[in-house]
Amino acid sequence: MANLSVSFHGVQFGNPTVLASGVLGVTSSTWRSVVQNGAGGITTKSIWLEEHHGHPNPTMITTPYYMMNAVGLSDAGVEKASSEIASFSNEKPSPLIASIVAGTPGDFEQVAEKVAGLPVDIIEVNISCPNVESEFGRPFACVMPDAKRVTEIVKAAAKKVNPNLPVIVKLSPNVESITAIANACAEGGADGFCLINTIGPGLAINLETRMPILSNKVGGVSGPAIKPVAVKMVRDVYTATKLPIIGTGGITTGLDALEIMMAGATLVGVGSAVYYRGIDVFKKMTHEMNEWLDKNGVQNVAEIIGTVKM
Amino acid sequence: MDQDHIKKYSELPTVLKIKRIVQENPTVRTFYFDYELGSKPGQFVMLWLPGVDEIPISIAYDNGKEFALTICKVGSMTEKIFELIEGDQLGIRGPYGTYFNFKAGDKIALVAGGYGAAPLYNLAHEAVAAGCEVDFIIGARSKDNLVYIERLEVLDNVHLHIATNDGSAGFKGYTTVILADLLKEKKIDHIMSCGPEMMMKAVGKIGDDAGVNTQLSVERYMKCGFGVCGQCTLDPLGIRTCVSGPVMNNKILNMLEEFGSYHRDDVGKKQYF
């Protein structure tokens, strides 16, 4: 059995699979259940300063090739998140990545300061959700100066409370140059990245009604079809910044996980695969990773990070 | 890729025309659809009103060729559904979730609170067809709130027991009193219930005390219905109502401290009963 543990900016994970933000992330009970199903770490659903309602249903559709969602970042706010995080940290079955979101830099500062004071291991700054554009305008992750400024603000706010807390930025693939955005965030003090957020937005039409299926009309595309884009962008950002990365986007099997790690990811975000393979997908994936690593004589999974020969 | 594989991994609404509408009482209607749903009693569909919302609804009838949904006018989406007429379109996804389990010939006590009568009618219908004997306990605030009585009265091997809070029909009092008496009188293999959570919590306790297998139908806010969004998970096990439920054995529910205590709203905040 290979050693699957990895270190992400000093935080130790038992294996590289982490629950991606927005999937099964509402309650601490669910986080525990996901860890019992083999996840090496958990990312919370994105935490707002105050309560934020998402879009009406339908909010999620699937096909064998992709999923599309426009949940719209529903969340009860940082106060409720505090009690969930406290409950999880009582047992602390795995590292916890707190995803935070806000509509303005000022709110980002406040939510970052509050969350940095909680027992979390990493802050993930979600500036790339494509589903709240009608409410807040173009995502910060799609505009270079915005991405840099929000990173600086969150990093400074977190540092005041917990100087060693890593701050990573979740990047959008829906940009001209993801490396330019990543470099801007790195200049702003980012300790790493999570990529990619969903692609698009896309549109799915019901034929009988001739109407969009999602109530938000458009939604972010995830799932198996977007994996090659995620792998390419992880490679690009890894090469450009050399910072640690959570690679995510359609990662469904252990071999997918190893592939995105070869591209440069240290951790692997798992979301849509919970649908395709069940909640125990984390156990299945780590088993598959082990099989490949053993067969190929690799003793530590960390050895493969960034080893693609281009 | 073959059609079966595509279908297996597709969660997309199927849009159907309403075949007929039956008015059950001033606030309850049953909508019938010609469609081979292939559901089992206790399962649910996500019902889509295009341009408005999509909500989980228990299946009230399914004979393999047509199925029905009984809907109570309680919110903005159901109000809009009540404006629809025969021939109008609604979308469904599913059927989803677990179902009530019984064997041919079992003796079953059903406890329906309010509009929980609809999915339990569906169950009674299938159970008697499988040679089961059914005691159907139905409770409501008053006579006007009772539904499905006529349909239940014509089923063979169904013994109907009515309870109303105000005594306007049947026994004046709770369904749980009738259930407790029934368990003293005869041997029952399963208790199955659908209705307000506090009633079901009491039903579960009675079932436990009598040592009878008890299956309850849990209702929680849902977004996806297929186990991904995480909105319907139950504390402290973190299991998903849409996948591990809605029908759950009371042995599991006894481990879920939120059952009979609180549920979560659309943003995940606890709302106490």
Side-chain angles (χ1 to χ4, degrees):
Chain A
M1 288 260 281
N3 173 18
L4 290 185
S5 68
V6 289
S7 171
F8 188 98
H9 208 281
V11 183
Q12 292 296 322
F13 289 75
N15 75 67
T17 66
V18 297
L19 178 71
S21 185
V23 172
L24 291 178
V26 182
T27 71
S28 54
S29 303
T30 322
W31 305 339
R32 277 192 294 270
S33 155
V34 169
V35 174
Q36 281 158 13
N37 279 288
I42 296 293
T43 316
T44 68
K45 197 161 160 61
S46 295
I47 301 162
W48 292 88
L49 190 58
E50 308 283 349
E51 182 172 298
H52 183 267
H53 294 275
H55 301 301
N57 281 336
T59 47
M60 217 178 268
I61 61 164
T62 74
T63 77
Y65 331 103
Y66 60 85
M67 292 181 73
M68 191 162 77
N69 90 83
V71 170
L73 295 169
S74 53
D75 177 60
V78 72
E79 213 167 295
K80 178 247 174 194
S82 306
S83 67
E84 300 291 347
I85 290 168
S87 159
F88 186 74
S89 69
N90 283 341
E91 298 162 41
K92 200 64 188 213
S94 83
L96 185 65
I97 304 163
S99 172
I100 61 168
V101 67
T104 64
D107 279 5
F108 257 120
E109 184 176 10
Q110 287 189 59
V111 73
E113 203 175 316
K114 289 196 162 137
V115 170
L118 303 173
V120 301
D121 300 283
I122 295 170
I123 286 186
E124 178 175 295
V125 192
N126 181 4
I127 53 171
S128 45
C129 178
N131 297 325
V132 288
E133 207 167 321
S134 55
E135 212 175 333
F136 299 107
R138 196 112 171 88
F140 296 132
C142 299
V143 187
M144 231 168 26
D146 290 352
K148 184 181 174 185
R149 185 161 163 241
V150 171
T151 308
E152 282 170 349
I153 285 169
V154 170
K155 181 75 188 173
K159 209 172 176 175
K160 273 198 290 185
V161 184
N162 181 353
N164 298 317
L165 188 62
V167 170
I168 66 170
V169 181
K170 186 151 184 182
L171 299 176
S172 168
N174 311 314
V175 292
E176 197 177 323
S177 166
I178 196 165
T179 52
I181 301 278
N183 281 326
C185 295
E187 282 171 29
D191 298 307
F193 300 100
C194 176
L195 64 131
I196 54 177
N197 209 319
T198 52
I199 287 185
L203 173 66
I205 300 165
N206 171 263
L207 299 184
E208 287 72 31
T209 57
R210 305 188 185 202
M211 287 173 71
I213 299 170
L214 297 177
S215 76
N216 188 48
K217 298 183 175 63
V218 298
V221 182
S222 59
I226 76 164
K227 191 192 77 176
V229 180
V231 172
K232 162 74 162 58
M233 289 185 161
V234 164
R235 173 67 194 162
D236 290 349
V237 171
Y238 179 75
T239 309
T241 68
K242 294 291 175 198
L243 291 171
I245 293 169
I246 304 177
T248 189
I251 305 299
T252 309
T253 68
L255 301 184
D256 291 347
L258 294 171
E259 185 182 356
I260 205 162
M261 291 181 79
M262 279 187 190
T266 299
L267 294 170
V268 180
V270 178
S272 59
V274 169
Y275 169 70
Y276 294 105
R277 303 188 68 192
I279 196 169
D280 59 347
V281 63
F282 304 92
K283 271 185 188 155
K284 290 173 180 159
M285 286 174 72
T286 49
H287 176 73
E288 291 155 1
M289 291 168 87
N290 254 318
E291 274 187 340
W292 189 91
L293 293 167
D294 286 350
K295 204 168 145 193
N296 289 274
V298 182
Q299 282 168 5
N300 293 298
V301 73
E303 290 169 30
I304 70 159
I305 298 167
T307 57
V308 58
K309 300 172 190 165
M310 294 286 279
Chain B
M1 204 178 280
D2 67 61
Q3 286 293 324
D4 287 348
H5 182 80
I6 294 174
K7 207 174 162 194
K8 185 179 172 194
Y9 292 104
S10 293
E11 310 295 343
L12 297 163
T14 300
V15 170
L16 305 170
K17 284 193 170 134
I18 299 166
K19 185 184 170 189
R20 66 175 193 280
I21 301 173
V22 174
Q23 184 89 34
E24 306 287 349
N25 73 24
T27 57
V28 180
R29 285 179 194 171
T30 300
F31 298 77
Y32 286 82
F33 303 88
D34 262 333
Y35 183 70
E36 292 180 20
L37 185 62
S39 71
K40 293 182 174 169
Q43 289 191 299
F44 69 96
V45 292
M46 294 298 291
L47 179 68
W48 178 42
L49 178 56
V52 180
D53 207 343
E54 188 190 45
I55 54 173
I57 297 273
S58 296
I59 297 152
Y61 182 66
D62 181 1
N63 70 2
K65 293 200 174 79
E66 70 167 11
F67 77 95
L69 304 173
T70 294
I71 297 169
C72 178
K73 191 160 75 168
V74 286
S76 55
M77 162 140 174
T78 48
E79 270 167 31
K80 291 213 166 68
I81 286 178
F82 270 54
E83 291 167 13
L84 300 179
I85 57 169
E86 286 164 13
D88 282 347
Q89 291 173 316
L90 280 167
I92 54 144
R93 291 190 286 122
Y96 291 127
T98 56
Y99 44 85
F100 291 104
N101 273 301
F102 58 87
K103 295 192 310 292
D106 282 345
K107 293 184 171 26
I108 308 173
L110 304 183
V111 186
Y115 314 119
L120 290 188
Y121 162 75
N122 190 23
L123 170 60
H125 191 267
E126 298 226 352
V128 294
C132 296
E133 189 185 327
V134 172
D135 279 274
F136 199 113
I137 307 167
I138 180 169
R141 283 196 306 278
S142 71
K143 190 170 186 270
D144 295 341
N145 301 107
L146 289 166
V147 293
Y148 273 78
I149 299 295
E150 292 85 0
R151 289 187 188 80
L152 287 163
E153 280 170 346
V154 299
L155 286 181
D156 288 335
N157 291 322
V158 172
H159 314 292
L160 191 59
H161 312 262
I162 296 172
T164 52
N165 294 359
D166 62 5
S168 53
F171 171 74
K172 182 174 192 262
Y174 292 132
T175 51
T176 45
V177 177
I178 300 179
L179 175 67
D181 286 347
L182 184 74
L183 293 177
K184 282 176 210 152
E185 283 163 26
K186 66 188 201 189
K187 189 190 167 298
I188 294 289
D189 298 306
H190 312 279
I191 300 166
M192 298 170 178
S193 181
C194 183
E197 191 151 315
M198 300 317 284
M199 181 200 81
M200 287 195 292
K201 183 84 184 165
V203 167
K205 173 84 170 55
I206 292 168
D208 284 352
D209 290 348
V212 178
N213 172 285
T214 303
Q215 301 169 38
L216 307 175
S217 176
V218 180
E219 185 175 358
R220 284 295 180 273
Y221 173 81
M222 290 176 189
K223 286 191 194 293
C224 71
F226 48 81
V228 173
C229 73
Q231 296 282 338
C232 69
T233 59
L234 299 160
D235 290 338
L237 301 183
I239 55 176
R240 299 159 291 178
T241 306
C242 67
V243 174
S244 301
V247 179
M248 302 177 83
N249 196 288
N250 198 46
K251 286 188 184 124
I252 304 287
L253 288 165
N254 283 335
M255 292 188 267
L256 297 168
E257 60 199 35
E258 81 165 67
F259 184 69
S261 174
Y262 62 86
H263 61 102
R264 289 177 188 261
D265 62 15
D266 65 311
V267 294
K269 202 163 56 185
K270 291 176 187 174
Q271 300 288 345
Y272 287 84
F273 288 110

